[in-house]
Amino acid sequence: MSDWQEQDDQSSALVDARVDSPQREGLTGTTPADAYAPARDPELITRPPDGRPLHYQPQWRKDFPIDWPQDHYIARRDFAKFLCLTSLAFTVGQFWIGVQNIWRRRRGAPPVAKIGSLSELPVGGTLTFRYPGPHDDCILIRPSQDKLLAYSQKCTHLSCAVIPNVEKGVIRCPCHEGLFDLNTGENIAGPPPRPLPKIILTVRGDDIYATGVEWRTV
Amino acid sequence: MNSPSIRPRRPFTREQRTTVIYGMLAFILILVILQLWLFTATMNAYLGGDEAVIWPAAVASLLCLGLNAGLLRYLYHIERVRR
C-alpha cells in the first residue's frame, strides 16, 4: 500500500466524536445519516488521471486543472496575484516620483541665460530658444511694444510643440487641438491638464535674459 | 474526548473559496484603482511643481499595497489549510 493510501485511510478513521463535527452530521439521532450531509462535495468532482489525491499531484496539474469550476478558481486567483503585482508597480512608481523630486531639488535654480535681443524681435513676432537645458524648447512672444512673454514649447498633454497665434491671442497644440491663453499660458481648451510652464524674463538694455521657470498646476 | 484545541479545522470547499476570491478581487480592484488615481494625480502635481502631495501619496499607496499583500497572504493561507 502506498504512503498516500495509508494516510488517507488513517485520516478517514479520525472522526471527531462530537455531535456537530463535520463528519458526524445526522449520525446521533433518528434522522437518516444522509439528511444533513451535502448532496455532493464539489471537491470530489476533480479526479486526476492517475487517481491520486490532489495534494499528491505535481504543481503543474494544480495550475492547469482539467475541470471548469477549479479552472475558474485558479484563473481568479492568478488575476488577484497579477493585481497585487500591479499594486506593487504603482507603489514603486509613486516612490520613484519622490526620488525624482529630490534630484530636481538638488539641481537647484536654473541659470540666467541670454535668449535674444529686443532688436531682433519685432512686435507680434516670436522666437524659439532652449532653456534651462539643451532639450527644453521654449517660445518667446512679443505681443506689444512693451510686453514680452515666454513659455515652454512642450504641450502639457503629450509634449507636442505648441504654436503661438498672436492675432487670436492663443497658443495652439496641433496634435490634439489643445489651446492655451497667450497672455497667461493657462490651458483653456482641449486635453492639456496644466498651464504651460512660464519662463521668467529680465530685460537689460537690448538683451533679453531668462532667469527662471515657473511650473504651475492651475 | 477531543478537546476543541485539537479539533481539525474544516477546510473551505471549492465553492466557498471561489466566493472568497470574488470578494477579495472586489477589494483588490478598488485599491488598485485608488492607486492608479493617486499615481496620476501625483505625477500631475510633480510636473506642475507642487511637491506637497508627493510623500503623503506615496505613503497612502504603500498602505494600499500592504492591504493587497495581506489579502493575498490570506489566499495562500486558505489554500494551505485545505491540505
Side-chain angles (χ1 to χ4, degrees), chain A residues 97-210:
Chain A
I97 294 174
V99 171
Q100 286 287 329
N101 187 50
I102 291 171
W103 285 346
R104 185 166 75 177
R105 272 187 178 182
R106 284 187 180 174
R107 280 197 293 268
V112 176
K114 185 188 171 191
I115 56 171
S117 58
L118 289 172
S119 54
E120 66 184 13
L121 185 63
V123 174
T126 61
L127 192 71
T128 58
F129 63 99
R130 291 192 171 109
Y131 183 82
H135 303 293
D136 302 318
D137 292 308
C138 301
I139 42 172
L140 175 66
I141 311 159
R142 192 175 187 184
S144 64
Q145 184 68 32
D146 303 326
K147 195 171 185 182
L148 285 172
L149 300 165
Y151 302 106
S152 167
Q153 201 179 11
K154 288 180 185 173
C155 178
T156 53
H157 178 222
L158 289 175
S159 297
C160 288
V162 294
I163 302 164
N165 188 329
V166 180
E167 290 80 25
K168 291 183 179 175
V170 294
I171 300 171
R172 176 174 163 266
C173 177
C175 289
H176 303 100
E177 296 298 329
L179 281 182
F180 299 89
D181 187 280
L182 186 86
N183 291 308
T184 62
E186 285 178 9
N187 47 329
I188 51 178
R194 297 179 305 281
L196 289 171
K198 192 175 186 177
I199 310 298
I200 302 164
L201 301 172
T202 303
V203 179
R204 295 176 193 157
D206 190 48
D207 296 331
I208 306 167
Y209 292 87

Side-chain angles (χ1 to χ4, degrees), chain A residues 33-50:
Chain A
D34 59 350
Y36 301 113
R40 186 172 176 79
D41 188 349
E43 294 287 346
L44 298 177
I45 296 169
T46 299
R47 284 288 175 213
D50 61 3

Side-chain angles (χ1 to χ4, degrees), chain A residues 67-111:
Chain A
D67 59 300
W68 281 114
Q70 183 67 8
D71 186 65
H72 285 158
Y73 170 75
I74 295 291
R76 278 143 191 79
R77 187 194 68 184
D78 286 354
F79 185 48
K81 288 180 185 174
F82 173 75
L83 283 179
C84 287
L85 203 61
T86 311
S87 174
L88 174 67
F90 278 133
T91 308
V92 170
Q94 202 81 41
F95 279 89
W96 182 246
I97 294 174
V99 171
Q100 286 287 329
N101 187 50
I102 291 171
W103 285 346
R104 185 166 75 177
R105 272 187 178 182
R106 284 187 180 174
R107 280 197 293 268

